[in-house]
Amino acid sequence: MTLPRPVEAPRESGALARAVASRGGGARTRGHMNLDGSAQDPEKREYSSVCVGREDDIKKSERMTAVVHDREVVIFYHKGEYHAMDIRCYHSGGPLHLGDIEDFDGRPCIVCPWHKYKITLATGEGLYQSINPKDPSAKPKWCSKGVKQRIHTVTVDNGNIYVTLSSEPFKCDSDFYATGDFKVIKSSSR
Ligand code: FES
């Protein structure tokens, strides 16, 4: 049986991808990841925690942005829980800190403001709705594309919020926009 597959716009359609391609940017290594995904450093890198703000402040604003070890992240405070992830959407680099949070299949997701992709706050999985073309009357189901957005760890100590970057060596799609030539440190840009 052939399983239905999600339809995704090509990565090259993003404005950031076009901008970098026009500069002739190629694959380069930054930190422990290769942008072309051709190789992975088998070692885990450990990052120190970085204080990004006060608990009182994020509880009011419900989100904040920060640069942690040269990586731009967004931190959400949603329904009593903290979540941190790469700020640029894995699809084409959209600004996730400007998206809305909605529940899909009972899972809180950030909805990217550019093309409305849904990313779970807890795990960074991209979600899509699947239908069975052989049974079009069946209700579409929310399914996972796998982990696409890199998730980081948030801790609270003495009223301060700390972010520890993910040390997982596996490649996330969002690494593409968080490292090397593709990195954009401009939280307010759309
Ligand atoms: S950039 Fe396309 S959905 Fe986020």
Side-chain angles (χ1 to χ4, degrees):
M1 185 177 78
T2 305
L3 293 174
R5 297 176 67 85
V7 177
E8 293 192 12
R11 185 182 289 287
E12 290 73 17
S13 65
L16 285 174
R18 279 198 300 275
V20 174
S22 69
R23 295 202 304 266
R28 292 187 192 172
T29 302
R30 183 183 182 89
H32 62 291
M33 288 160 229
N34 285 352
L35 292 179
D36 64 359
S38 60
Q40 294 287 314
D41 185 336
E43 290 180 17
K44 272 190 168 191
R45 300 290 171 95
E46 299 299 333
Y47 294 97
S48 58
S49 302
V50 172
C51 181
V52 295
R54 296 283 301 165
E55 194 176 14
D56 291 347
D57 294 332
I58 194 172
K59 281 186 171 172
K60 282 185 208 140
S61 63
E62 299 191 330
R63 61 185 66 187
M64 64 169 55
T65 63
V67 177
V68 178
H69 294 296
D70 208 28
R71 191 172 186 116
E72 199 171 17
V73 299
V74 54
I75 303 103
F76 296 106
Y77 178 71
H78 181 70
K79 294 188 176 172
E81 293 185 357
Y82 295 97
H83 305 277
M85 62 177 62
D86 287 344
I87 198 168
R88 294 280 157 188
C89 174
Y90 72 86
H91 173 221
S92 284
L96 294 181
H97 61 298
L98 301 178
D100 293 326
I101 294 176
E102 296 178 38
D103 276 14
F104 296 93
D105 203 22
R107 305 175 74 181
C109 296
I110 185 74
V111 180
C112 179
W114 280 6
H115 311 104
K116 307 302 177 193
Y117 279 27
K118 288 101 175 128
I119 302 168
T120 63
L121 294 183
T123 61
E125 290 167 86
L127 297 187
Y128 71 102
Q129 272 193 307
S130 160
I131 56 166
N132 182 348
K134 293 187 176 166
D135 181 12
S137 63
K139 205 174 160 194
K141 284 187 196 162
W142 285 105
C143 299
S144 173
K145 303 174 187 174
V147 175
K148 297 287 189 176
Q149 198 75 18
R150 190 170 287 277
I151 295 293
H152 308 289
T153 303
V154 182
T155 50
V156 182
D157 184 27
N158 200 25
N160 293 315
I161 303 287
Y162 294 85
V163 170
T164 309
L165 293 183
S166 158
S167 60
E168 294 297 336
F170 68 83
K171 187 177 188 307
C172 277
D173 291 38
S174 66
D175 296 339
F176 190 78
Y177 294 103
T179 58
D181 282 344
F182 293 84
K183 181 167 68 176
V184 178
I185 302 273
K186 264 188 191 166
S187 300
S188 59
S189 64
R190 286 178 179 265

